[in-house]
Amino acid sequence: NAGVTQTPKFRVLKTGQSMTLLCAQDMNHEYMYWYRQDPGMGLRLIHYSVGEGTTAKGEVPDGYNVSRLKKQNFLLGLESAAPSQTSVYFCASSKQGLTYEQYFGPGTRLTVT
Amino acid sequence: RKEVEQDPGPFNVPEGATVAFNCTYSNSASQSFFWYRQDCRKEPKLLMSVYSSGNEDGRFTAQLNRASQYISLLIRDSKLSDSATYLCVVTANQAGTALIFGKGTTLSVSS
């Protein structure tokens, strides 16, 4: 039981490049989330999903897109990376809503130059 | 935007000390409250949920004061392994569709 996994763990992009971060969970959780964590700031919600085929915007969605084609996977895309998107990205999942424990992946450290 | 405020610390304490962290939140509609722990360069992990009646888990005690919109975490008999950043987390609204994370309080326990 791997829990929540994220790939890649590290990535360096040049401004304007695109990439997709993959999150996978094997706990059969309905809810999945993408957060970013920046120095001196709390985790901020980018997008979330309450089930397969559904997504919704969080607090800081601009510049990101997401898809949840399979229940176990939640993809975060950056279409045209900007230096402001340099951050640590965490994926999380929970059994149901936010009153339930969120299980986080190990994070992806992204640097945009 | 200061929806969840925490003293960033760091709190530097010796082993065996008792330490208390405070957190205030601005949205009176928040319904659920948590403390998460985050080790350096690791992912956050749930430490405990916080209930209105207060709750205890071993050396950890969490309290909630809805009237003052204040949450606390007390750690007794600190261990070296308690060194981490403690995140105060609340639901953003009554529907509970988002979580708001505090910036965290850093604890360093030394021998």
Side-chain angles (χ1 to χ4, degrees):
Chain A
N1 191 339
V4 180
T5 58
Q6 293 182 232
T7 52
K9 289 186 169 55
F10 303 92
R11 186 72 186 267
V12 178
L13 285 181
K14 294 186 187 303
T15 297
Q17 288 184 320
S18 63
M19 77 165 295
T20 299
L21 282 67
L22 171 63
C23 176
Q25 53 94 4
D26 62 3
M27 296 174 282
N28 201 34
H29 285 170
E30 290 293 334
Y31 285 59
M32 296 187 75
Y33 316 84
W34 276 107
Y35 293 92
R36 60 178 290 173
Q37 186 174 37
D38 301 298
M41 302 191 74
L43 276 83
R44 293 180 292 168
L45 183 65
I46 305 171
H47 286 279
Y48 65 99
S49 168
V50 301
E52 182 178 320
T54 70
T55 63
K57 293 180 180 179
E59 180 187 354
V60 288
D62 294 341
Y64 306 95
N65 57 74
V66 288
S67 64
R68 184 128 180 245
L69 299 179
K70 293 183 179 181
K71 186 177 183 178
Q72 63 267 34
N73 296 336
F74 195 27
L75 278 64
L76 178 70
L78 285 73
E79 290 185 347
S80 179
S84 61
Q85 293 179 304
T86 294
S87 188
V88 180
Y89 292 86
F90 288 103
C91 175
S93 71
S94 64
K95 185 177 180 181
Q96 294 182 32
L98 292 171
T99 55
Y100 288 78
E101 177 178 0
Q102 292 201 1
Y103 294 81
F104 285 81
T108 294
R109 296 184 177 276
L110 174 66
T111 301
V112 183
T113 61
Chain B
R1 168 181 167 274
K2 293 184 178 180
E3 297 186 46
V4 176
E5 288 199 63
Q6 297 181 249
D7 182 342
F11 284 57
N12 298 304
V13 303
E15 277 187 292
T18 295
V19 61
F21 303 142
N22 303 321
C23 169
T24 58
Y25 61 96
S26 60
N27 191 339
S28 59
S30 296
Q31 294 291 321
S32 298
F33 310 89
F34 313 89
W35 283 102
Y36 276 73
R37 170 194 168 127
Q38 186 172 24
D39 293 320
C40 187
R41 300 179 75 82
K42 297 288 188 180
E43 71 273 21
K45 293 184 179 179
L46 180 67
L47 178 66
M48 57 197 306
S49 300
V50 187
Y51 304 116
S52 297
S53 55
N55 47 303
E56 185 174 309
D57 182 3
R59 297 181 293 107
F60 299 85
T61 300
Q63 298 278 355
L64 168 65
N65 185 322
R66 286 185 184 269
S68 301
Q69 296 180 201
Y70 169 90
I71 306 162
S72 66
L73 176 68
L74 183 75
I75 305 176
R76 292 181 299 278
D77 189 22
S78 298
K79 312 290 185 189
L80 294 175
S81 57
D82 293 335
S83 297
T85 297
Y86 292 83
L87 309 176
C88 178
V89 184
V90 308
T91 49
N93 50 43
Q94 196 163 16
T97 55
L99 288 180
I100 303 296
F101 286 76
K103 297 178 184 180
T105 298
T106 299
L107 172 65
S108 177
V109 182
S110 56
S111 58

